[in-house]
C-alpha cells in the first residue's frame, strides 16, 4: 500500500478554493483503479493550511495517478495559490488491521 500526505499553505482567502480543487480531483482520483481513499483537509484553527492524504493499493496504482492528466491539471491550479513549496511524504505501508 502507498500512502501519500501532502501539506501546503495558501493565503486565507484561498483555503476554500484549494479544498474545492482537491474535492474535484478526489472524484477523479477515486475512479482510478487501486485508489483506497482520498481526503483533503485543513488543520484545526489554521486559515492557511491545506492537506491531502491518499491511499493506493500499490506503486503501480499510485504511479498511474501521478501520470494522469488530472494530476497535472490540479497541480497547475494549486501552485499559483501556494504561498510556499508543498511537502509531499510518500510511504510504503503494510495494512495491519481494519477495525469497524
Amino acid at each position: 500500500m502507498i500512502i501519500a500526505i501532502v501539506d501546503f499553505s495558501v493565503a486565507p482567502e484561498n483555503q476554500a478554493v484549494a479544498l474545492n480543487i482537491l474535492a474535484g480531483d478526489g472524484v477523479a482520483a477515486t475512479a482510478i483503479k487501486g485508489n483506497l481513499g482520498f481526503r483533503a483537509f485543513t488543520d484545526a484553527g489554521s486559515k492557511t493550511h491545506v492537506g491531502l492524504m491518499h491511499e493506493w493499493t500499490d506503486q503501480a496504482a499510485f504511479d498511474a495517478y501521478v501520470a494522469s492528466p488530472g494530476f497535472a491539471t490540479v497541480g497547475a491550479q494549486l501552485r499559483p495559490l501556494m504561498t510556499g513549496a508543498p511537502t509531499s511524504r510518500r510511504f510504503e505501508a503494510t495494512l495491519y488491521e481494519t477495525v469497524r
Side-chain angles (χ1 to χ4, degrees), residues 9-35:
S9 294
V10 296
E13 64 271 15
N14 289 327
Q15 189 182 53
V17 175
L19 286 173
N20 285 333
I21 291 168
L22 288 171
D25 186 41
V27 172
T30 56
I32 296 174
K33 183 180 178 188
N35 179 270

Side-chain angles (χ1 to χ4, degrees), residues 1-3 32-35 55-68 91-92:
M1 174 188 298
I2 302 297
I3 299 171
I32 296 174
K33 183 180 178 188
N35 179 270
E55 304 167 72
W56 300 89
T57 54
D58 55 30
Q59 188 67 49
F62 179 73
D63 290 345
Y65 168 67
V66 172
S68 72
F91 303 88
E92 186 174 4

